[in-house]
Every structure is written in structure tokens, then in C-alpha cells.
Amino acid sequence: MRYEGALYRPPSEAYSLIVQATIGCSHNRCTFCSMYKEKNFRVRSVEEILEDLSAGREYYKRVKRIFLADGDALIIKTKDLIKILKEIKTVFPECERVGIYGSPRSILGKSRDELMELKGLGLGIVYLGVESGSDIILKSINKGVTSEEMIRAGKRIIDSNIELSVTLISGIGGRKLSREHAIESARVINEINPNYVGLLTLLLEEGTQLYSDHEKGKFKILTPKEVLTETKLFVEGLDIDNCIFRSNHASNYVPLRGTLNKDKQIILAQIEEGLQMVNLEEGEFLRRL
């Protein structure tokens, strides 16, 4: 297996065989992100990818899941993804699911029929970084897409019967846009109704534009209490069916989990309990970083 640079994958792909189908991220201009900065984006040749799959078969006796890295590997041409997925079926017949990162633009660049064909060949889940549902915030963090494009992309994955896992970032709007972030993010998630929602908490990474803005006083980060208040407003606004909700990443102050809408009141009660913690304002120690 050949790997270039640092590898990133969703938490749920912790035990997956990771195969680099692309190097880096096709966008790679988000102001908050420090990932893939040492890489120039490119799509690897199908031949190299197939060689790595063969090498993986020699090394691993059983592979339950495969994740096609790096960022936005869904951007690969459909005909090439078909070749890759067919090879996975041949080389790893025991593989139950293939996962991939997808950007709104790479998703919308594929028709529903194309996505359904990929689904039939084993593509089981697409991970989409929504970050925020606010157009103001999406523009400020240089996400490169609008909330409407996010909604259209998310719905296209759902309509193709592929599972969709989306992530949002608490505090990404700073203090000024915290309420906007919560309300608009709930709106977008309600429109998409994904299978999974993961809520992370903003970590300022040195070397990013957002870190620099914070250092200059242009961006005010939320306190732990403000993060939970924002999260409460977000969850209150959600109206989704049978969606697994997780906010138990190491970046989060208070771990939350459940299925929405079924566990909505339980999650809100847990948030309220967190807000009553006397030591919450010194809550950095609550993060498992």
C-alpha cells in the first residue's frame, strides 16, 4: 500500500482499509481547515489504485469496509469509480461497504442514475462536510458553495439510496453569528434529512486564516457555555426522521448521542444538564484532546 502525506478519515472508518484514490482535497481553501495543506490535489490513476487493492488483499485476510481517501474522492470520473468498485467486489468479496468523502460540487456533478449505479456496486456511504447551514458563514469560511447547493447535494445522495453522513461545526460562526449558525444549520439538516449527523466543536488550527482572524480580534470564539447554548438552539430546531445524531467527538465539551426525533428531548435534557455544570466556563479540560 502506498500513502502520501497525512491521512484523514471519518471516525466511523477507524477499522476500514484506507485506499488513497485522490491526493489532497479538490477545494482546500476553507479558512478553518489545516488538512491537506502539504498536498497538491490530484486524482490517482486507476492502475495505481487497483495495484493498491491487490497489495491490500495480500496483507489482510478479511476486510469488512474500505474507505476511499483523500478528501472528495467522489470527484473521480464515474467510469473510473465503476472500475474501482468492481475490482473491490472481485478482490474483497467479503467487503460490506465502501465509503467516500464527497463535496457538494462532486455530488451534483453526478446524476442520480450514476450514483445509483455506484450504490449497486458497493458504495454504501458518502460523508459530506456541511459545516454550517448559513450562507453568510459559508461565504465567510470560503466553503465555495451555498446552502441551497448543500441541500441539493444531500438530497441527491439520499434519493440514490446511499447513506449520507453530514458534519457541522459548533462555533464556526463565532459569537456574532452563533444564533444564525444554529437556526440555519437546523433548516438545512431538516431539508436533507440525512442518515447521520455529526456535530464537532471548532478547534482553531495554527496557520489557518481563521486562526489569524482570531489573533487579530476579528473572530471571537465561543465559550463552552455558549457552544452548548448554540447546540441547544440547533437541536430544538431539528425535525428529522430516524437520523443518528452524534456529538461525542474529542473536540466536544459534553458528549451527546441519540436518534432523532425519537431521542430529541433526552438530548435536550443532557444539554441542559451540561449548562448547569459549575465548572463549564473552564471547560477546556472536558475535551478529550
Side-chain angles (χ1 to χ4, degrees), residues 155-167:
K155 284 185 172 181
R156 185 163 298 181
I157 295 297
I158 294 296
D159 290 345
S160 304
N161 294 320
I162 299 171
E163 289 194 334
L164 177 66
S165 178
V166 306
T167 54

PDB file of all heavy atoms in Angstrom, residues 155-167:
ATOM      1  N   LYS A 155     -29.737  15.794  -0.782  1.00  0.00           N
ATOM      2  CA  LYS A 155     -30.935  15.102  -1.257  1.00  0.00           C
ATOM      3  C   LYS A 155     -30.614  14.127  -2.383  1.00  0.00           C
ATOM      4  O   LYS A 155     -31.226  13.062  -2.489  1.00  0.00           O
ATOM      5  CB  LYS A 155     -31.973  16.126  -1.726  1.00  0.00           C
ATOM      6  CG  LYS A 155     -32.714  16.837  -0.603  1.00  0.00           C
ATOM      7  CD  LYS A 155     -33.796  17.738  -1.171  1.00  0.00           C
ATOM      8  CE  LYS A 155     -34.679  18.312  -0.070  1.00  0.00           C
ATOM      9  NZ  LYS A 155     -35.745  19.180  -0.613  1.00  0.00           N
ATOM     10  N   ARG A 156     -29.646  14.488  -3.220  1.00  0.00           N
ATOM     11  CA  ARG A 156     -29.303  13.590  -4.330  1.00  0.00           C
ATOM     12  C   ARG A 156     -28.722  12.282  -3.819  1.00  0.00           C
ATOM     13  O   ARG A 156     -29.000  11.210  -4.368  1.00  0.00           O
ATOM     14  CB  ARG A 156     -28.333  14.266  -5.297  1.00  0.00           C
ATOM     15  CG  ARG A 156     -28.051  13.417  -6.537  1.00  0.00           C
ATOM     16  CD  ARG A 156     -27.445  14.217  -7.667  1.00  0.00           C
ATOM     17  NE  ARG A 156     -28.334  15.264  -8.131  1.00  0.00           N
ATOM     18  CZ  ARG A 156     -28.045  16.095  -9.137  1.00  0.00           C
ATOM     19  NH1 ARG A 156     -26.893  15.979  -9.778  1.00  0.00           N
ATOM     20  NH2 ARG A 156     -28.897  17.023  -9.496  1.00  0.00           N
ATOM     21  N   ILE A 157     -27.909  12.363  -2.781  1.00  0.00           N
ATOM     22  CA  ILE A 157     -27.364  11.136  -2.186  1.00  0.00           C
ATOM     23  C   ILE A 157     -28.478  10.306  -1.572  1.00  0.00           C
ATOM     24  O   ILE A 157     -28.567   9.090  -1.794  1.00  0.00           O
ATOM     25  CB  ILE A 157     -26.292  11.475  -1.128  1.00  0.00           C
ATOM     26  CG1 ILE A 157     -25.078  12.141  -1.767  1.00  0.00           C
ATOM     27  CG2 ILE A 157     -25.867  10.216  -0.369  1.00  0.00           C
ATOM     28  CD1 ILE A 157     -24.336  11.286  -2.758  1.00  0.00           C
ATOM     29  N   ILE A 158     -29.347  10.944  -0.806  1.00  0.00           N
ATOM     30  CA  ILE A 158     -30.468  10.234  -0.173  1.00  0.00           C
ATOM     31  C   ILE A 158     -31.364   9.595  -1.233  1.00  0.00           C
ATOM     32  O   ILE A 158     -31.786   8.439  -1.109  1.00  0.00           O
ATOM     33  CB  ILE A 158     -31.278  11.199   0.719  1.00  0.00           C
ATOM     34  CG1 ILE A 158     -30.443  11.676   1.910  1.00  0.00           C
ATOM     35  CG2 ILE A 158     -32.564  10.524   1.209  1.00  0.00           C
ATOM     36  CD1 ILE A 158     -30.040  10.595   2.876  1.00  0.00           C
ATOM     37  N   ASP A 159     -31.664  10.351  -2.297  1.00  0.00           N
ATOM     38  CA  ASP A 159     -32.532   9.829  -3.365  1.00  0.00           C
ATOM     39  C   ASP A 159     -31.900   8.658  -4.105  1.00  0.00           C
ATOM     40  O   ASP A 159     -32.599   7.887  -4.767  1.00  0.00           O
ATOM     41  CB  ASP A 159     -32.864  10.946  -4.363  1.00  0.00           C
ATOM     42  CG  ASP A 159     -33.798  11.995  -3.779  1.00  0.00           C
ATOM     43  OD1 ASP A 159     -34.406  11.730  -2.729  1.00  0.00           O
ATOM     44  OD2 ASP A 159     -33.901  13.085  -4.372  1.00  0.00           O
ATOM     45  N   SER A 160     -30.569   8.546  -4.007  1.00  0.00           N
ATOM     46  CA  SER A 160     -29.860   7.444  -4.671  1.00  0.00           C
ATOM     47  C   SER A 160     -29.746   6.220  -3.774  1.00  0.00           C
ATOM     48  O   SER A 160     -29.084   5.240  -4.141  1.00  0.00           O
ATOM     49  CB  SER A 160     -28.464   7.918  -5.097  1.00  0.00           C
ATOM     50  OG  SER A 160     -28.543   9.059  -5.917  1.00  0.00           O
ATOM     51  N   ASN A 161     -30.367   6.273  -2.597  1.00  0.00           N
ATOM     52  CA  ASN A 161     -30.359   5.174  -1.632  1.00  0.00           C
ATOM     53  C   ASN A 161     -28.972   4.886  -1.059  1.00  0.00           C
ATOM     54  O   ASN A 161     -28.695   3.769  -0.598  1.00  0.00           O
ATOM     55  CB  ASN A 161     -30.945   3.896  -2.252  1.00  0.00           C
ATOM     56  CG  ASN A 161     -32.421   4.039  -2.576  1.00  0.00           C
ATOM     57  OD1 ASN A 161     -33.170   4.620  -1.802  1.00  0.00           O
ATOM     58  ND2 ASN A 161     -32.825   3.540  -3.730  1.00  0.00           N
ATOM     59  N   ILE A 162     -28.097   5.879  -1.120  1.00  0.00           N
ATOM     60  CA  ILE A 162     -26.796   5.794  -0.465  1.00  0.00           C
ATOM     61  C   ILE A 162     -26.913   6.483   0.880  1.00  0.00           C
ATOM     62  O   ILE A 162     -27.530   7.553   0.989  1.00  0.00           O
ATOM     63  CB  ILE A 162     -25.699   6.479  -1.314  1.00  0.00           C
ATOM     64  CG1 ILE A 162     -25.575   5.800  -2.682  1.00  0.00           C
ATOM     65  CG2 ILE A 162     -24.359   6.463  -0.586  1.00  0.00           C
ATOM     66  CD1 ILE A 162     -24.663   6.547  -3.647  1.00  0.00           C
ATOM     67  N   GLU A 163     -26.337   5.905   1.912  1.00  0.00           N
ATOM     68  CA  GLU A 163     -26.388   6.544   3.221  1.00  0.00           C
ATOM     69  C   GLU A 163     -25.564   7.831   3.197  1.00  0.00           C
ATOM     70  O   GLU A 163     -24.505   7.901   2.557  1.00  0.00           O
ATOM     71  CB  GLU A 163     -25.867   5.609   4.308  1.00  0.00           C
ATOM     72  CG  GLU A 163     -26.810   4.451   4.604  1.00  0.00           C
ATOM     73  CD  GLU A 163     -26.455   3.737   5.894  1.00  0.00           C
ATOM     74  OE1 GLU A 163     -25.272   3.774   6.289  1.00  0.00           O
ATOM     75  OE2 GLU A 163     -27.360   3.142   6.500  1.00  0.00           O
ATOM     76  N   LEU A 164     -26.066   8.838   3.915  1.00  0.00           N
ATOM     77  CA  LEU A 164     -25.405  10.142   3.959  1.00  0.00           C
ATOM     78  C   LEU A 164     -25.071  10.512   5.394  1.00  0.00           C
ATOM     79  O   LEU A 164     -25.944  10.508   6.264  1.00  0.00           O
ATOM     80  CB  LEU A 164     -26.306  11.207   3.354  1.00  0.00           C
ATOM     81  CG  LEU A 164     -25.759  12.648   3.400  1.00  0.00           C
ATOM     82  CD1 LEU A 164     -24.526  12.791   2.513  1.00  0.00           C
ATOM     83  CD2 LEU A 164     -26.846  13.646   2.983  1.00  0.00           C
ATOM     84  N   SER A 165     -23.810  10.840   5.622  1.00  0.00           N
ATOM     85  CA  SER A 165     -23.356  11.308   6.935  1.00  0.00           C
ATOM     86  C   SER A 165     -22.840  12.725   6.778  1.00  0.00           C
ATOM     87  O   SER A 165     -21.917  12.973   5.993  1.00  0.00           O
ATOM     88  CB  SER A 165     -22.243  10.395   7.470  1.00  0.00           C
ATOM     89  OG  SER A 165     -21.761  10.870   8.720  1.00  0.00           O
ATOM     90  N   VAL A 166     -23.448  13.669   7.486  1.00  0.00           N
ATOM     91  CA  VAL A 166     -23.033  15.068   7.377  1.00  0.00           C
ATOM     92  C   VAL A 166     -22.416  15.532   8.691  1.00  0.00           C
ATOM     93  O   VAL A 166     -22.753  15.036   9.769  1.00  0.00           O
ATOM     94  CB  VAL A 166     -24.209  15.990   6.994  1.00  0.00           C
ATOM     95  CG1 VAL A 166     -24.889  15.503   5.735  1.00  0.00           C
ATOM     96  CG2 VAL A 166     -25.218  16.104   8.126  1.00  0.00           C
ATOM     97  N   THR A 167     -21.502  16.478   8.579  1.00  0.00           N
ATOM     98  CA  THR A 167     -20.889  17.066   9.772  1.00  0.00           C
ATOM     99  C   THR A 167     -21.126  18.563   9.780  1.00  0.00           C
ATOM    100  O   THR A 167     -21.157  19.225   8.733  1.00  0.00           O
ATOM    101  CB  THR A 167     -19.372  16.800   9.829  1.00  0.00           C
ATOM    102  OG1 THR A 167     -18.759  17.249   8.609  1.00  0.00           O
ATOM    103  CG2 THR A 167     -19.091  15.333  10.036  1.00  0.00           C
TER     104      THR A 167
END
